[in-house]
Amino acid sequence: MFFVDTLEFEGLGNRSYLAGGPRAAVVVDPPRDVDQVIAAAARRGVRIAYVAETHLHNDYVTGGLELARLTGARYLVPAHANVSFSRTPVTDGDTSAVDDHLVLRAIATPGHTPHHTSYALEEDGHAVAVFTGGSLLIGSVGRPDLVDPRLTERLARAQHASAHRLAAMLDDEVPVLPTHGFGSFCSSSQAEGDATTIGNERIRNDALTLDVDTFVKRVLAGLEDVPAYYTHMGPANAAGPGPVDLTPPQPADAAQIAERLAAGEWVVDLRSRVAFADGHVAGSFNFEATGKLATYLAWLIPWGKPVTLLGDTPAQIADAQRELTRVGIDRPAAAATGDPAAWVPEGEQLVSFPRADFADLTAAHERGEDVVVLDVRRKSERVNGFIEGSVHIPLHELHDRVGDVPDGTVWVHCAGGMRAAIAASLLDATGRKVTAIDDGFEAAADAGLTVTRP
């Protein structure tokens, strides 16, 4: 008998897997914080015999090398991945005996990266699952543009060929278990549903239903902007990431928070956008702990800038710290929790800004107020409809383009409210008068605003 346990990381939109038999297992594409993987293996009562990487990841720092060191597992890495540490190089067709009757077979599936490798788990010679990393995803494929712009079209064509290879090699009932596609920007589009099989993908995946030229054209046309921090992930993984330190950060009092702000460091408030708008430290930024914290904070922050975390509880700080290690933000400079009033020096006050919905924006227009509507959604969202007269600056560009926002009170919106809250905090920190629209974009037209749909 075999098992496959899925480890989900919603913040980054990725999954890792623990799979094996009664005594031993393999971990595929582990996260940076490997303690939870070790705990999962302990619950199963199995030894981690292998750690397997499908590719050098561009969207997170792997825990593979550290997990192999801690457990004594063999570390399987595609042979053509250029790394500077000792590992077991894997080439197409290589097999590794995981447990009695269970074998892991490497399948070369270039496309997401030139060296990308999928792994089929075979029981008595029959594939029972395939770990596809950034190759064949649920209804999609991993994006081909993260390695080198000169290789993008070639890798897109390779993705098509790799998908067809997997479909030809594996039976329809074989579960497809990808690493990306659940919100990760490594996916060329996002998954619909959370489970699939080779047979399902044969019917609905563009890589398996379209000819190669049509597929490549569609993939290249749909590529999103690449998060800025991705440029640091590949080199970190190639060098061999070290262990993480998840001990609590140094506590910060009001004077220290003020000093860090004065020094140009980032102070990040993890509380809900409602709580932040009601009262926060002037100059701090709001990245909700329950949002895509790691993705957006790592995308916006100047790389290497010290960050101090403010939160409701020590547990909230600890969860955020764990998530940030996955994208290479290893140690917060400091942290504070509890009553926000204690985060400012005596005699000073928290600051605030209003929240609103689209109906409030309509009312502001009707009153003749000097309103600037700022849309911080991505380009791919805006092409499906935007508020007439709005200014468009995607959130990930805003920190460097604050000067491009016209004068006036800025009413900032996104698709649902979370990114608008981040943007409002960025503008508020510069002294701009802001209102954060905490509303779904679909409500804009119903509120009487003119929505242009190209």
Side-chain angles (χ1 to χ4, degrees):
M1 290 293 293
F2 71 94
F3 72 88
V4 177
D5 290 341
T6 301
L7 304 175
E8 296 191 51
F9 305 99
E10 294 182 6
L12 292 177
N14 287 326
R15 292 179 174 179
S16 300
Y17 300 94
L18 173 73
R23 290 176 296 277
V26 57
V27 178
V28 180
D29 289 344
R32 182 82 182 281
D33 47 323
V34 299
D35 56 324
Q36 60 190 308
V37 181
I38 294 171
R43 288 192 295 271
R44 280 285 185 178
V46 295
R47 174 178 61 89
I48 298 176
Y50 296 94
V51 177
E53 301 282 8
T54 57
H55 61 293
L56 286 185
H57 302 283
N58 288 290
D59 64 330
Y60 71 93
V61 181
T62 181
L65 183 62
E66 178 66 4
L67 183 59
R69 184 188 70 81
L70 290 173
T71 62
R74 291 179 64 187
Y75 191 23
L76 309 179
V77 178
H80 296 297
N82 186 17
V83 298
S84 58
F85 51 83
S86 177
R87 86 288 193 206
T88 299
V90 175
T91 58
D92 186 48
D94 286 353
T95 59
S96 302
V98 177
D99 206 336
D100 293 343
H101 309 287
L102 280 180
V103 169
L104 194 70
R105 182 180 301 276
I107 305 171
T109 48
H112 186 47
T113 66
H115 60 264
H116 191 283
T117 300
S118 299
Y119 298 92
L121 184 66
E122 299 178 349
E123 184 178 46
D124 293 327
H126 299 285
V128 293
V130 60
F131 304 100
T132 55
S135 183
L136 188 65
L137 310 184
I138 299 178
S140 184
V141 295
R143 58 192 297 170
D145 61 326
L146 301 179
V147 177
D148 185 327
R150 296 170 296 181
L151 300 179
T152 297
E153 182 174 347
R154 185 189 315 172
L155 289 177
R157 292 181 178 278
Q159 279 289 50
H160 187 272
S162 291
H164 280 264
R165 185 182 189 207
L166 289 170
M169 292 180 63
L170 302 169
D171 295 335
D172 281 354
E173 65 270 17
V174 175
V176 174
L177 304 172
T179 300
H180 304 314
F182 310 95
S184 168
F185 281 86
C186 269
S187 175
S188 60
S189 63
Q190 295 310 312
E192 295 182 6
D194 62 359
T196 193
T197 63
I198 289 292
N200 288 340
E201 293 309 303
R202 204 186 300 275
I203 295 169
R204 67 173 184 165
N205 196 305
D206 283 354
L208 296 172
T209 61
L210 299 177
D211 66 85
V212 62
D213 289 334
T214 303
F215 167 78
V216 169
K217 183 177 180 180
R218 184 171 296 183
V219 167
L220 298 188
L223 293 174
E224 298 271 15
D225 291 326
V226 179
Y229 71 93
Y230 276 26
T231 190
H232 304 283
M233 300 296 97
N237 288 325
V244 296
D245 180 1
L246 294 175
T247 58
Q250 170 189 333
D253 60 21
Q256 292 168 327
I257 293 170
E259 289 171 2
R260 291 188 179 282
L261 284 167
E265 299 181 11
W266 276 36
V267 174
V268 170
D269 193 324
L270 303 169
R271 296 176 302 146
S272 75
R273 54 185 182 261
V274 175
F276 183 87
D278 285 346
H280 56 271
V281 177
S284 63
F285 303 136
N286 182 215
F287 290 80
E288 290 181 300
T290 56
K292 294 179 74 67
L293 168 66
T295 295
Y296 284 108
L297 179 54
W299 196 339
L300 270 66
I301 192 171
W303 198 250
K305 178 80 71 173
V307 58
T308 294
L309 300 178
L310 309 179
D312 291 313
T313 64
Q316 188 180 64
I317 298 291
D319 289 344
Q321 181 179 351
R322 177 180 289 273
E323 187 170 348
L324 292 175
T325 64
R326 297 172 186 158
V327 292
I329 302 176
D330 283 0
R331 288 291 296 168
T337 59
D339 182 1
W343 299 342
V344 293
E346 187 175 352
E348 296 186 16
Q349 301 293 322
L350 298 173
V351 297
S352 63
F353 54 75
R355 295 167 49 252
D357 58 22
F358 284 110
D360 295 321
L361 176 58
T362 298
H365 280 305
E366 292 172 347
R367 291 191 299 269
E369 295 182 12
D370 182 16
V371 169
V372 176
V373 180
L374 176 62
D375 180 353
V376 296
R377 296 175 301 159
R378 294 187 298 276
K379 295 175 184 176
S380 61
E381 297 172 282
R382 186 170 169 90
V383 296
N384 294 319
F386 58 88
I387 296 171
E388 185 176 286
S390 61
V391 176
H392 182 227
I393 303 177
L395 174 61
H396 60 272
E397 298 179 10
L398 182 59
H399 186 250
D400 294 326
R401 294 183 57 192
V402 169
D404 294 341
V405 181
D407 293 337
T409 299
V410 184
W411 289 60
V412 58
H413 81 86
C414 58
M418 184 268 290
R419 286 174 292 171
I422 297 173
S425 73
L426 295 175
L427 292 167
D428 176 73
T430 68
R432 292 298 301 268
K433 188 175 181 180
V434 297
T435 296
I437 298 178
D438 197 352
D439 202 358
F441 183 71
E442 65 278 1
D446 293 338
L449 296 166
T450 302
V451 175
T452 300
R453 302 188 187 278

